[in-house]
C-alpha cells in the first residue's frame, strides 16, 4: 500500500537539528569509530615494517615480544634470502674462500633458534651471554637480542671473556627459574668491498679502518718489540685488556708468522683462547642446561649505520644437559644451512 505523499516527504527529509539524546548517541558512535581507528594505527606502528640490514622487508615486533614464538616468523617472507645489498661480489667471494660455509647473520640466527628451540630454550626461560669485541660494527648480537632478549656481557677487547669465573657465577645466578643459559662467543675480522682482509669502511668514514683493531695493534706491537729485541712488558692497569691480547698472541707468534694469512691465524688463536676460557668457567656439575655458539664474525663495509651486515662462520655449537657431557650440534646447524641452500639460498 502506497503512503500519502506528505508522509513520503517527511520520511525523506533530513532533520535540521538533532535532539540532545540523538546528539549524544552520535558523539558516542564517532568516538568509538575514532578509538578503533587509532587502536589499529598504533597496532600497525607497533609491528612496523622496516628495511632490515639484510636487504629484505620483515615485520619487526616490539622489543618485549619473543620473535621465535610469533607466527610471523613462519611466513614466506622469512624464507626469502637477502640479496647482496651493500656487500660486493669481491667481498663475498673472499668470504667464501677464507670462511667456507659462512652465512649472513639472519641465516645464522634462524638456524640457531631452530636448534635450541627444539631443546626447550626460548626467550622466556633463557638468559643470553655474549663474549664479543665491543666494536660497534659487530651486528650479529643485534639479531640474537631480538630473539633471546636480555644479555649478560662477558667480554672486552677481541671478545676474550674478561669477566672470568666471578662474572660467570653472576650470569648463572641471573638465569630464570628452571631456565637455560645460552653463550655466544666470536672474535671478528673485517673484509672490505675490494676483498681486503682486516679492513672495512665504517659509517661516516672515507678511508678504511682495521677490524679487529685490537688484534692488528697487538700484532704490530709484537713485531716492533721483536725487531728491537725487547721483551714483553706488562701493560699499565688502564690498558690491561690490550696487554692480555698481546700476551695471548705472542705465545703463538711463530705459528702466526708462518701462516699464509697471518691475521687469519691470529683470529684463530684468539678464538681458541676465548673458547678455552669459556669452557673453563662452566662447572662439570652445572645444574642448568647450557648452549654454546662459537664462531667468527665477518664484518663488511657500511657507508651508513643501517647498511651492511655481518657474516658468521660457525665453529662450535653444543649443548650440555645437567649430568651429561656436551653434545655437538654443529652437524645439525650445517644441515639446516644446507637445506636453505637447496631451497635457493647461496652466499655468493
Amino acid at each position: 500500500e502506497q503512503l500519502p505523499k506528505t508522509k513520503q516527504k517527511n520520511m525523506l527529509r533530513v532533520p535540521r537539528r538533532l535532539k540532545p539524546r540523538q546528539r549524544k548517541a552520535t558523539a558516542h558512535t564517532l568516538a568509538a569509530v575514532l578509538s578503533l581507528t587509532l587502536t589499529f594505527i598504533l597496532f600497525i606502528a607497533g609491528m612496523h615494517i622496516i628495511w632490515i640490514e639484510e636487504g629484505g622487508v620483515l615485520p619487526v615486533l616490539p622489543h618485549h615480544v619473543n620473535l621465535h614464538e610469533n607466527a610471523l616468523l613462519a611466513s614466506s617472507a622469512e624464507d626469502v634470502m637477502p640479496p647482496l645489498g651493500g656487500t660486493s661480489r669481491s667481498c663475498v667471494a673472499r668470504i667464501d674462500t677464507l670462511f667456507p660455509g659462512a652465512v649472513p647473520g639472519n641465516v645464522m640466527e634462524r638456524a640457531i633458534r631452530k636448534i635450541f628451540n627444539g631443546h626447550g630454550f626460548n626467550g622466556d626461560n633463557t638468559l643470553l651471554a655474549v663474549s664479543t669485541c665491543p666494536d660497534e660494527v659487530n651486528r650479529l648480537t643485534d639479531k640474537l637480542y631480538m630473539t633471546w632478549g636480555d644479555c649478560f656481557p662477558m667480554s672486552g677487547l677481541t671478545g676474550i671473556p674478561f669477566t672470568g669465573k666471578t662474572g660467570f657465577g653472576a650470569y648463572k645466578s641471573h638465569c630464570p627459574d628452571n631456565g637455560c643459559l645460552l653463550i655466544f662467543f666470536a672474535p671478528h675480522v673485517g673484509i672490505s668491498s675490494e676483498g681486503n682482509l682486516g679492513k672495512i669502511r665504517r659509517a661516516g668514514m672515507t678511508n678504511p679502518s682495521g677490524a679487529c683493531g685490537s688484534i692488528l695493534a697487538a700484532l704490530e706491537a709484537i713485531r716492533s718489540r721483536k725487531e728491537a729485541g725487547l721483551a714483553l712488558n706488562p701493560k699499565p692497569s688502564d690498558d690491561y685488556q690490550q696487554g692480555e691480547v698481546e700476551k695471548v698472541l705472542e705465545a703463538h707468534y711463530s705459528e702466526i708468522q708462518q701462516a699464509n694469512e697471518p691475521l687469519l691465524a691470529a683470529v684463530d688463536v684468539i678464538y681458541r683462547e676465548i673458547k678455552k676460557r669459556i669452557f673453563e668457567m662452566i662447572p662439570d656439575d652445572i645444574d642448568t642446561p647450557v648452549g654454546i655458539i662459537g664462531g667468527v664474525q665477518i664484518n663488511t663495509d657500511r657507508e651508513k649505520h643501517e647498511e651492511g651486515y655481518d657474516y658468521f662462520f660457525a665453529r662450535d655449537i653444543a649443548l650440555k644437559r645437567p649430568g651429561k657431557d656436551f653434545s655437538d650440534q654443529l652437524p645439525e646447524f650445517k644441515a639446516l644451512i644446507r637445506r636453505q641452500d637447496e631451497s635457493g639460498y647461496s652466499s655468493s
Side-chain angles (χ1 to χ4, degrees):
E1 187 177 346
Q2 194 170 14
L3 293 171
K5 289 186 178 181
T6 54
K7 199 158 189 177
Q8 289 181 20
K9 287 181 181 177
N10 288 336
M11 290 178 66
L12 295 171
R13 186 181 298 139
V14 178
R16 293 182 180 177
R17 294 187 61 185
L18 295 173
K19 294 179 181 179
R21 183 178 296 178
Q22 291 175 316
R23 286 201 300 272
K24 190 173 182 181
T26 303
H28 285 170
T29 302
L30 288 172
V33 171
L34 287 172
S35 177
L36 286 172
T37 304
L38 182 60
T39 301
F40 178 75
I41 291 170
L42 290 174
F43 175 76
I44 294 300
M47 298 178 65
H48 58 287
I49 304 298
I50 65 170
W51 187 261
I52 60 173
E53 293 174 30
E54 290 80 1
V57 178
L58 289 178
V60 175
L61 302 177
H63 66 88
H64 59 276
V65 178
N66 293 325
L67 295 185
H68 64 282
E69 294 176 352
N70 198 282
L72 285 169
L73 288 179
S75 69
S76 59
E78 186 198 30
D79 298 322
V80 177
M81 295 300 107
L84 291 175
T87 308
S88 72
R89 294 193 177 276
S90 297
C91 173
V92 175
R94 185 79 158 140
I95 291 172
D96 287 342
T97 299
L98 299 178
F99 299 97
V103 294
N106 66 323
V107 179
M108 175 276 289
E109 188 280 324
R110 287 200 293 268
I112 290 298
R113 175 165 26 98
K114 187 171 181 63
I115 289 170
F116 285 100
N117 281 175
H119 290 286
F121 289 58
N122 61 58
D124 293 323
N125 71 1
T126 300
L127 182 59
L128 175 70
V130 167
S131 200
T132 61
C133 186
D135 194 319
E136 77 282 353
V137 297
N138 290 328
R139 295 291 189 87
L140 292 183
T141 49
D142 294 352
K143 294 168 176 51
L144 296 173
Y145 300 155
M146 289 178 68
T147 296
W148 303 103
D150 292 341
C151 168
F152 188 98
M154 304 178 80
S155 58
L157 294 175
T158 73
I160 293 175
F162 288 104
T163 54
K165 291 187 176 181
T166 299
F168 184 84
Y171 165 55
K172 183 183 181 302
S173 72
H174 301 171
C175 182
D177 295 340
N178 303 311
C180 308
L181 302 175
L182 185 62
I183 304 172
F184 175 84
F185 63 94
H188 73 114
V189 67
I191 297 182
S192 70
S193 295
E194 296 79 17
N196 296 325
L197 182 67
K199 295 287 185 183
I200 57 167
R201 289 180 180 83
R202 297 169 188 267
M205 294 180 64
T206 304
N207 296 321
S209 60
C212 170
S214 175
I215 293 177
L216 290 165
L219 290 175
E220 178 58 25
I222 295 167
R223 184 193 65 77
S224 297
R225 275 201 311 273
K226 288 193 173 295
E227 286 183 357
L230 301 174
L232 175 65
N233 291 320
K235 288 275 189 182
S237 60
D238 63 356
D239 203 14
Y240 162 76
Q241 291 186 5
Q242 187 63 14
E244 283 292 295
V245 174
E246 289 183 20
K247 189 192 302 182
V248 169
L249 292 176
E250 183 148 7
H252 299 271
Y253 193 64
S254 296
E255 168 193 341
I256 293 169
Q257 276 188 311
Q258 293 168 11
N260 291 332
E261 292 283 357
L263 177 55
L264 208 58
V267 171
D268 177 66
V269 167
I270 293 296
Y271 177 83
R272 285 181 278 148
E273 182 68 18
I274 298 171
K275 178 182 174 180
K276 177 175 75 71
R277 295 194 188 196
I278 293 284
F279 276 80
E280 285 174 352
M281 292 177 191
I282 303 171
D284 292 335
D285 60 350
I286 192 167
D287 58 0
T288 304
V290 182
I292 294 291
I293 308 160
V296 178
Q297 297 182 82
I298 305 148
N299 314 122
T300 63
D301 285 352
R302 50 181 59 96
E303 293 181 5
K304 297 179 181 178
H305 290 290
E306 68 273 14
E307 290 183 351
Y309 53 88
D310 288 350
Y311 281 71
F312 182 68
F313 179 63
R315 293 187 55 167
D316 290 283
I317 298 174
L319 170 67
K320 179 176 173 57
R321 295 283 186 189
K324 296 184 179 180
D325 292 331
F326 276 97
S327 60
D328 187 9
Q329 304 296 312
L330 188 59
E332 174 63 13
F333 178 86
K334 291 181 177 179
L336 287 168
I337 299 303
R338 273 199 304 274
R339 285 201 284 276
Q340 292 190 62
D341 241 355
E342 290 164 2
S343 67
Y345 165 69
S346 173
S347 61
S348 58

